[in-house]
Amino acid sequence: MSGVRAILFDDKRSYLHYLLGAIALFCPKITLLFATYEIAEALVLWKFGNRVERRKDFSTTLGDFCEFALGTFTALLLIALSPHTYGNL
Ligand SMILES: [Ca+2]
């Protein structure tokens, strides 16, 4: 079966990605650092890994970005739904 797959929460670092995504809402520079790290990691594995590792790494890298985005989305949602925010409406 072909297509693009994102493997989410595949290891313990995934929770760190999620947390970093939430923190990035308050410190956007983290997004740049995270993206740089993920792209560098993917390039190293693409250059030196075998075919299976390359395909798996693309899915896990995409998953890492999704975890990060989910963390940001969760933080945004919690802020939007907090009573403090409603108080300002
Ligand atoms: Ca992951």
Side-chain angles (χ1 to χ4, degrees), residues 29-43 65:
K29 287 179 184 174
I30 290 175
T31 305
L32 188 63
L33 292 173
F34 176 78
T36 304
Y37 171 78
E38 285 295 328
I39 290 169
E41 184 185 42
L43 286 175
F65 278 106

Side-chain angles (χ1 to χ4, degrees), residues 12-42:
K12 287 181 181 174
R13 285 189 307 168
S14 298
Y15 299 100
L16 180 65
H17 301 150
Y18 183 79
L19 191 64
L20 282 175
I23 295 170
L25 194 61
F26 307 100
C27 183
K29 287 179 184 174
I30 290 175
T31 305
L32 188 63
L33 292 173
F34 176 78
T36 304
Y37 171 78
E38 285 295 328
I39 290 169
E41 184 185 42

Side-chain angles (χ1 to χ4, degrees), residues 7-15 17 38 59-65 67:
I7 302 172
L8 276 76
F9 298 104
D10 55 320
D11 54 12
K12 287 181 181 174
R13 285 189 307 168
S14 298
Y15 299 100
H17 301 150
E38 285 295 328
S59 299
T60 55
T61 300
L62 190 60
D64 290 348
F65 278 106
E67 291 154 7

Side-chain angles (χ1 to χ4, degrees), residues 62-78:
L62 190 60
D64 290 348
F65 278 106
C66 290
E67 291 154 7
F68 189 88
L70 275 173
T72 305
F73 178 75
T74 303
L76 197 59
L77 200 62
L78 286 174

